[in-house]
Amino acid sequence: MGFDSEQWISELLARLDEAFGDRILYVGHTGSYARGEATEESDIDVNIVLDALTMEDLERYRQIVRSMPHREKACGFVCGADEMRAWPAHELFQFTQGCIVLRGSLDHLVSAPTDRDIEDNVRNLTSSIYHQCCHAYLFEDGLDDAAEGLKDAYRATFFVMQELVFLRDREYVPTKRELLDRLQGEDRAVLEVCTRWNELKEDRRDRPEHYFSLLREWSSRALKSVRTV
């Protein structure tokens, strides 16, 4: 029998309700399972906001996770209301756009990020991708192994392009499949690497320089495409 993510989430919600009750202000489901793009390797990302978060609460949640079937699937975010209110606005795009709301609401805690907030996040993400790419190329022993280490950097390009397309088209595009239809040229080539990562393994072994070059050039252009003042 295959893994049933909806049943897993329902079980988690029941245990959260029992443990925290009306202290739960928000629960959201995000990530590849929420988008319908999960693979066998995918986590289930659940974001939780409580009225306040103590170490005792963390321990209680930890025990819930450890008691869940397929606990290796559990992933996500947890904080208290005050932390959520203070959270950097540029990191809130996926919270406000990319989550399936399961409990409560964030409306009384945060505002939707502004265009400037989104641009700040694009700049933060692309600068990190650029650095990862150059650092791995320079300091890893073998380029073929180093190219395998670019998986997370290529994965992050999806979130950058979601935000760039939102700024351009004023529409949130939730899935990689739909986003590919909005992209051309280098943008599309980079996202295709992200979506086809596993099947491109042999090609990365044969020509690792291509994957470094593509990512470095894309991240450089994306970084310079957003406002800095």
Side-chain angles (χ1 to χ4, degrees):
M1 181 179 296
F3 176 71
D4 188 334
S5 62
E6 292 186 5
Q7 181 178 343
W8 191 94
I9 291 172
S10 294
E11 176 65 23
L12 177 65
L13 285 173
R15 298 187 189 196
L16 289 172
D17 287 338
E18 181 179 359
F20 300 111
D22 60 8
R23 294 184 57 209
I24 298 172
L25 303 183
Y26 172 82
V27 181
H29 176 34
T30 188
S32 56
Y33 273 102
R35 298 192 304 268
E37 296 182 326
T39 68
E40 291 183 358
E41 301 172 353
S42 296
D43 300 322
I44 299 180
D45 296 281
V46 177
N47 299 332
I48 303 168
V49 181
L50 300 178
D51 58 350
L53 183 69
T54 67
M55 284 304 300
E56 289 77 12
D57 295 327
L58 276 178
E59 177 59 25
R60 190 176 304 162
Y61 186 28
R62 179 174 180 268
Q63 292 304 321
I64 290 173
V65 169
R66 291 173 67 84
S67 68
M68 287 289 294
H70 301 282
R71 71 181 190 185
E72 73 280 358
K73 290 286 189 182
C75 193
F77 171 91
V78 61
C79 74
D82 287 345
E83 290 81 14
M84 191 76 261
R85 292 187 186 98
W87 211 261
H90 70 268
E91 294 189 359
L92 294 177
F93 182 79
Q94 293 297 331
F95 264 98
T96 58
Q97 296 287 340
C99 284
I100 298 172
V101 178
L102 304 175
R103 292 281 191 279
S105 171
L106 289 176
D107 291 346
H108 62 297
L109 295 172
V110 299
S111 299
T114 65
D115 284 1
R116 176 51 61 88
D117 295 328
I118 297 170
E119 289 166 345
D120 285 345
N121 201 45
V122 167
R123 191 158 46 249
N124 287 346
L125 289 172
T126 52
S127 61
S128 177
I129 292 168
Y130 183 90
H131 170 67
Q132 289 178 56
C133 181
C134 294
H135 187 278
Y137 190 88
L138 286 172
F139 300 116
E140 296 294 334
D141 289 336
L143 284 185
D144 51 353
D145 289 334
E148 290 303 302
L150 295 177
K151 180 178 181 178
D152 286 343
Y154 268 100
R155 177 178 175 271
T157 66
F158 167 57
F159 303 109
V160 172
M161 283 189 263
Q162 272 187 318
E163 298 189 18
L164 289 173
V165 167
F166 180 85
L167 290 170
R168 184 190 71 192
D169 298 346
R170 315 314 302 180
E171 182 181 352
Y172 177 75
V173 183
T175 70
K176 295 172 184 175
R177 294 186 299 271
E178 294 171 285
L179 193 58
L180 276 170
D181 292 336
R182 304 287 188 100
L183 302 176
Q184 297 179 344
E186 192 178 66
D187 290 336
R188 185 179 178 89
V190 168
L191 190 58
E192 283 181 339
V193 172
C194 173
T195 58
R196 299 175 56 212
W197 184 262
N198 289 338
E199 65 185 271
L200 291 172
K201 183 173 183 177
E202 289 302 318
D203 192 58
R204 287 194 301 277
R205 290 283 179 181
D206 291 340
R207 50 178 195 147
E209 294 89 348
H210 166 74
Y211 292 89
F212 279 100
S213 177
L214 178 63
L215 188 62
R216 192 205 67 82
E217 292 173 9
W218 174 85
S219 58
S220 173
R221 178 178 57 79
L223 177 61
K224 293 180 288 189
S225 72
V226 294
R227 293 180 295 176
T228 58
V229 294

